[in-house]
């Protein structure tokens, strides 16, 4: 089995937290990876004392991350040693909210918004029209290039939604293509009512809850609905989520993006894993979230790209709500896949401490996806790690826009 020792880690964010330090920070740390999993976490001195990384036959090879992959293993039990040289290591980012299967471009809408035009849910229909026209191969190529973009920026687990097909056949192929790249596929047939159903929205909700759901459920883990003015009413949303649950899917909700409304309370009532956006919350929403298992997933790329006010993460965290941050990468409201940018925005604009933002982008995302094998660095969990070109995780917010991801491992393999 291939083994890798990362040693001389100046600051290791394990997320095996305590009330005082939710990031479970360790200094001068070392992590041993065996196969796809983390085998051991300790200090660099302990690693030396245990003789980890020293092959009795061949001796250890010191590998500098900046000079690429090491010479191939010469012995089955050989341990590749990566000297972090005092730099920081964090868990791979868990981006729990993306819309990565689509065609087309809406840069013109972004330009108009920067001149003062508001964001409206209706723009989704332009991407639907372009996506319906695209071949499977074209969609697949674009999706794969987004996946490469995510990996290069340190994201090792990500969710992908359907929602730009809105016919049975198109939603099915988006779900199928998404399932080629992630187990976290979300059926979002209830994204908006497509134009051909504009005068008979009840028929569209019937279709979503019937044939469309049946076609997509085999490729999907989650069911989502855009519960918002201009998209689906709370009653329609409840129907869609209930139908999804009856098909074995787990619910999540787009809610409270464009104004206050029922989205958050519906998500809590349905036991949703997460309610995403949460831009406009009243006190009852915050209280409902605080007394639930539903994660509030904040998407600061949307506020950045739509000029809406940023949600107050401090208010949520202080009330005891579990907060995740995600990119919402999509061509309309947030065309970025950068989790480091989300961290910088969360710190600068939403009242989060750097440690809280990094936690929310890793362990928080894992909670939002109900995953207990990622987002945390501990023995037995998946070896998804990021070596930063920085001494501390704070640099992700302190040095916005700078590519600080030096090296990424997913399932124990360098990406
Ligand atoms: O999460 N809110 C709904 N859906 C996306 C926007 C999609 C689009 O504008 O194309 C979102 O922001
Ligand atoms: Fe979204």
């Amino acid at each position: 089995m291939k083994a890798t020792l990362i040693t001389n880690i100046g600051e290791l964010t394990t997320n095996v937290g305590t009330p005082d330090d939710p990031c479970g920070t360790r200094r001068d740390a070392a992590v041993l990876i065996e196969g796809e999993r983390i085998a051991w976490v300790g200090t660099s001195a302990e690693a030396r004392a245990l003789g980890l990384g020293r092959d009795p036959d061949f001796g250890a090879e010191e590998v500098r991350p900046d000079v690429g992959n090491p010479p191939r293993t010469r012995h089955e039990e050989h341990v590749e040693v990566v000297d972090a040289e005092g730099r920081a290591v964090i868990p791979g980012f868990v981006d729990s909210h993306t819309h990565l299967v689509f065609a087309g471009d809406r840069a013109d809408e972004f330009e108009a918004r920067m001149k003062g035009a508001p964001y409206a849910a209706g723009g989704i229909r332009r991407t639907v029209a372009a996506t319906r026209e695209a071949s499977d191969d074209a969609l697949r190529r674009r999706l794969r290039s987004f996946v490469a973009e995510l990996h290069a920026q340190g994201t090792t687990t990500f969710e992908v939604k359907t929602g730009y097909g809105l016919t049975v056949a198109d939603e099915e192929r988006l779900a199928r293509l998404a399932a080629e790249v992630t187990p976290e596929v979300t059926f979002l047939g209830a994204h908006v009512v497509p134009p051909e159903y504009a005068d008979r929205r009840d028929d569209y909700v019937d279709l979503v809850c019937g044939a469309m759901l049946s076609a997509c459920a085999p490729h999907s883990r989650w069911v989502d609905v855009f519960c918002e003015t201009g998209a689906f009413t709370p009653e329609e949303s409840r129907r869609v989520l209930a139908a999804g649950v009856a098909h074995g899917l787990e619910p999540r909700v787009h809610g409270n993006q464009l104004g206050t409304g029922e989205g958050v309370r519906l998500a809590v009532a349905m036991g949703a894993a997460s309610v995403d956006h949460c831009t406009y919350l009243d006190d009852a929403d915050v209280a409902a979230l605080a007394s639930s298992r539903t994660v509030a997933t904040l998407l600061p790329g949307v506020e950045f790209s739509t000029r809406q006010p940023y949600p107050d993460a401090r208010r949520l965290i202080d009330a005891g709500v579990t907060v995740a941050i995600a990119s919402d990468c999509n061509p309309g409201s947030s065309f970025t896949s950068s989790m480091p940018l989300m961290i910088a925005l969360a710190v600068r604009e939403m009242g989060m401490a750097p440690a809280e933002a990094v936690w929310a982008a890793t362990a928080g995302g894992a909670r939002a996806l109900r995953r207990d094998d990622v987002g945390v660095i501990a023995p037995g969990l998946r070896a998804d790690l990021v070596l930063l070109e920085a001494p501390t995780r704070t640099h992700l917010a302190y040095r916005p826009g700078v590519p600080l991801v030096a090296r990424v491992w997913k399932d124990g393999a360098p990406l």
Side-chain angles (χ1 to χ4, degrees):
M1 193 190 301
K2 181 171 162 49
T4 305
L5 178 74
I6 311 171
T7 190
N8 294 326
I9 300 169
E11 180 197 80
L12 175 66
T13 298
T14 65
N15 288 339
V16 181
T18 60
D20 288 345
D21 175 22
C23 284
T25 311
R26 301 183 70 136
R27 314 265 170 218
D28 195 19
V31 177
L32 180 66
I33 300 169
E34 278 178 358
E36 298 183 349
R37 300 274 167 170
I38 292 159
W40 176 88
V41 178
T43 64
S44 306
E46 286 166 344
R48 276 192 300 278
L50 290 168
L52 289 172
R54 282 185 209 289
D55 182 304
D57 297 333
F58 300 107
E61 283 173 50
E62 295 288 320
V63 178
R64 288 271 310 273
D66 51 340
V67 296
N69 286 335
R72 275 326 312 150
T73 304
R74 288 173 294 174
H75 183 284
E76 259 218 340
E77 298 303 317
H78 186 79
V79 179
E80 175 193 329
V81 179
V82 176
D83 185 348
E85 298 180 316
R87 288 172 288 184
V89 169
I90 62 172
F93 297 121
V94 179
D95 191 348
S96 61
H97 184 143
T98 81
H99 306 247
L100 297 177
V101 215
F102 67 88
D105 181 277
R106 283 155 56 199
D108 53 349
E109 289 176 27
F110 173 78
E111 276 191 56
R113 284 199 300 275
M114 293 305 107
K115 286 193 254 162
Y119 173 80
I124 294 168
R125 295 191 188 95
R126 289 180 67 199
T127 303
V128 170
T131 304
R132 287 176 178 177
E133 290 293 308
S135 67
D136 281 15
D137 268 353
L139 292 171
R140 183 182 285 117
R141 271 198 304 279
R142 192 140 189 226
L143 173 60
R144 294 202 170 196
S145 85
F146 286 133
V147 170
E149 191 178 289
L150 265 66
H151 284 164
Q153 296 173 96
T155 297
T156 48
T157 301
F158 54 90
E159 179 260 22
V160 176
K161 298 175 198 299
T162 71
Y164 290 122
L166 310 187
T167 65
V168 174
D170 284 305
E171 284 293 301
E172 191 276 338
R173 71 193 183 110
L174 301 193
R176 178 165 37 80
L177 291 167
E180 292 178 0
V181 299
T182 180
E184 306 298 343
V185 177
T186 300
F187 169 53
L188 181 59
H191 201 182
V192 283
V193 175
E196 63 275 19
Y197 281 90
D199 302 327
R200 40 189 191 115
R201 53 186 300 126
D202 287 352
D203 291 350
Y204 185 66
V205 176
D206 288 346
L207 182 71
V208 169
C209 297
M212 196 182 279
L213 174 59
S214 299
C216 294
H219 308 296
S220 306
R221 176 175 178 203
W222 304 99
V223 58
D224 193 350
V225 59
F226 187 13
C227 179
E228 198 82 43
T229 305
F232 293 87
T233 66
E235 205 28 62
E236 291 165 343
S237 301
R238 183 186 307 275
R239 269 191 68 199
V240 170
L241 295 177
V245 170
H247 270 72
L249 305 185
E250 298 170 78
R252 44 201 319 110
V253 174
H254 277 75
N256 301 57
Q257 174 183 358
L258 305 175
T260 51
E262 294 293 310
V264 165
R265 287 189 291 274
L266 173 67
V268 169
M270 297 292 296
S274 174
V275 54
D276 300 38
H277 287 287
C278 297
T279 307
Y280 294 93
L281 300 180
D282 60 28
D283 289 345
D285 296 322
V286 177
L289 284 165
S291 59
S292 78
R293 281 185 63 225
T294 302
V295 173
T297 301
L298 307 181
L299 309 169
V302 174
E303 281 74 39
F304 179 89
S305 300
T306 61
R307 285 196 192 280
Q308 290 197 174
Y310 288 88
D312 183 357
R314 189 79 268 130
R315 176 185 181 203
L316 288 165
I317 293 171
D318 289 348
V321 177
T322 301
V323 172
I325 57 178
S327 73
D328 194 12
C329 187
N330 77 79
S333 65
S334 177
F335 200 9
T336 173
S337 55
S338 170
M339 291 298 278
L341 174 63
M342 298 309 112
I343 289 169
L345 292 174
V347 170
R348 174 65 177 81
E349 304 288 350
M350 303 192 328
M352 295 178 92
E356 289 170 332
V358 172
W359 188 94
T362 53
R367 295 265 186 100
L369 292 174
R370 295 199 172 146
R371 291 280 296 267
D372 55 14
D373 58 338
V374 296
V376 174
I377 296 177
L381 304 190
R382 287 193 181 280
D384 294 352
L385 302 98
V386 174
L387 172 65
L388 296 177
E389 194 56 58
T392 67
R393 60 187 172 238
T394 297
H395 280 235
L396 289 165
Y398 173 47
R399 306 200 67 211
V402 177
L404 295 181
V405 172
R407 196 159 168 180
V408 184
W409 290 264
K410 177 167 168 56
D411 295 328
L415 288 180

